[in-house]
Amino acid sequence: MKLINYFYWVLSFVLFLFIKIISFFIKIRLKCLHSERIGHYVMEACLYLHERKKNKKKLEFHVFYNSNKVSNLYFYNLIRKKIFFIPWVLGFRINFFLNFFSFQKDDLRLAKYLDRDLDKLIYRNKTILKIPEKDLAVGFNNLKKMGIDKSKKFVCLGIRDEQYLKKTFPSKSYKKHNYRDTKPENFIKLIKFLNSQGFYVIKMNKTSEKILPITNPLFIDYTKSKFASESMDFFLCNQCEFFISTGYGFDSVPRIFKKPILIVSMAPIGY
């Protein structure tokens, strides 16, 4: 194990030297995407793609690497067709050398793209990512098995809780974010109202443990469904009429597809 670790450090240093030499002719920049959190991951990647499209005449080569956890492999497989990635084990080491040796720290690294679309790049431009046709076919087939005909309208409901962070990062405390959580039962009246208007409501939470006492067939707890998958998450966000969210990372997925989003019980408001 130690031998492999040494090998990666040596290889990363060689690649670092290569970057420094090549950058005399074409600038190479490196960036880590915060792939462990779906909101940061999706927004950082998509805003970067919009920015690059706007500045495509720049003579630069951009290299990306994920952090050591990837929140959604399906999304990664979509964007790696548009973005050049190297493995994390090399990326963070090369970044270490860039920080250690560079006098101008931003010289060989991408400027930080925030996960907030302050310039409204997503809504002012064409959708940067598309669901492949084969995945759409699978999605519609699953939708039919869930009891939703292709002609029917459905709404996705995302309610933030602490379960995802607790299960993904068990050694780290995120209790400071607990004030952002919302009780699922607060949405029972809203779900029943939407059902009465003919809308299917699909509860999206990935790790939610609470089961809502709703027996209407127009309500689907997708969290407990056998159809739940990373690709289906994206399909549903791509095809829903609108998305209801309490303001958490996952609502970045319908956002990149330019879907209307109703945000409730969100704090802080400025985010």
Side-chain angles (χ1 to χ4, degrees), residues 21-253:
I21 294 167
I22 293 296
S23 288
F24 285 109
F25 309 98
I26 177 171
K27 185 163 286 188
I28 298 177
R29 294 192 167 183
L30 182 74
K31 179 172 173 59
C32 174
L33 290 178
H34 294 89
S35 58
E36 74 280 7
R37 305 281 291 275
I38 186 68
H40 293 282
Y41 196 25
V42 168
M43 290 300 288
E44 285 179 13
C46 289
L47 289 177
Y48 160 75
L49 289 171
H50 279 295
E51 285 283 354
R52 189 182 70 178
K53 196 172 181 181
K54 194 169 68 172
N55 302 312
K56 58 184 175 183
K57 292 182 180 178
K58 251 186 173 179
L59 191 61
E60 292 183 352
F61 184 68
H62 297 166
V63 179
F64 286 79
Y65 64 98
N66 289 318
S67 50
N68 62 341
K69 290 180 184 289
V70 177
S71 55
N72 192 291
L73 286 171
Y74 179 74
F75 177 70
Y76 168 65
N77 287 324
L78 287 180
I79 60 167
R80 71 175 181 172
K81 297 170 185 175
K82 297 173 177 286
I83 293 175
F84 181 77
F85 279 91
I86 61 173
W88 169 77
V89 292
L90 297 177
F92 90 87
R93 288 176 170 89
I94 296 171
N95 194 55
F96 167 81
F97 291 123
L98 288 172
N99 282 328
F100 188 80
F101 289 106
S102 294
F103 294 103
Q104 293 178 311
K105 290 190 175 181
D106 290 328
D107 187 37
L108 297 174
R109 295 179 301 145
L110 274 174
K112 185 178 180 182
Y113 288 95
L114 298 176
D115 60 337
R116 304 183 192 185
D117 188 9
L118 301 179
D119 295 326
K120 296 184 174 60
L121 292 173
I122 289 172
Y123 289 99
R124 288 177 177 171
N125 295 284
K126 290 182 180 179
T127 304
I128 207 81
L129 283 183
K130 291 185 178 179
I131 305 290
E133 288 296 326
K134 62 180 179 63
D135 294 339
L136 287 174
V138 172
F140 282 119
N141 187 46
N142 285 339
L143 207 61
K144 189 175 182 180
K145 290 178 182 178
M146 289 164 67
I148 306 177
D149 188 80
K150 194 174 180 179
S151 61
K152 300 296 182 181
K153 294 180 179 181
F154 67 90
V155 175
C156 291
L157 171 63
I159 307 168
R160 189 191 191 282
D161 62 24
E162 63 179 358
Q163 293 304 316
Y164 174 75
L165 292 177
K166 280 178 72 173
K167 290 180 178 180
T168 309
F169 308 100
S171 61
K172 193 172 181 180
S173 175
Y174 283 92
K175 287 185 178 180
K176 66 180 182 180
H177 288 290
N178 285 358
Y179 71 93
R180 296 169 58 197
D181 297 339
T182 307
K183 294 179 180 178
E185 51 267 30
N186 291 351
F187 291 86
I188 291 176
K189 286 185 179 180
L190 175 60
I191 292 167
K192 289 182 176 180
F193 170 76
L194 288 169
N195 288 163
S196 72
Q197 301 302 304
F199 285 96
Y200 283 84
V201 177
I202 301 177
K203 183 172 170 287
M204 295 292 294
N205 298 60
K206 189 174 183 178
T207 53
S208 177
E209 295 180 346
K210 288 192 177 181
I211 298 175
L212 292 178
I214 301 175
T215 56
N216 192 322
L218 295 184
F219 172 69
I220 298 171
D221 191 342
Y222 170 75
T223 312
K224 310 295 180 184
S225 167
K226 65 180 180 179
F227 302 106
S229 68
E230 292 185 345
S231 59
M232 197 64 184
D233 291 349
F234 273 71
F235 170 82
L236 292 173
C237 290
N238 178 259
Q239 295 295 318
C240 67
E241 285 297 306
F242 61 94
F243 194 100
I244 302 171
S245 172
T246 57
Y248 71 125
F250 188 75
D251 61 37
S252 294
V253 181

Side-chain angles (χ1 to χ4, degrees), residues 8-23:
Y8 281 135
W9 278 109
V10 172
L11 179 58
S12 298
F13 184 70
V14 171
L15 291 173
F16 159 73
L17 293 176
F18 175 77
I19 288 173
K20 295 289 284 186
I21 294 167
I22 293 296
S23 288

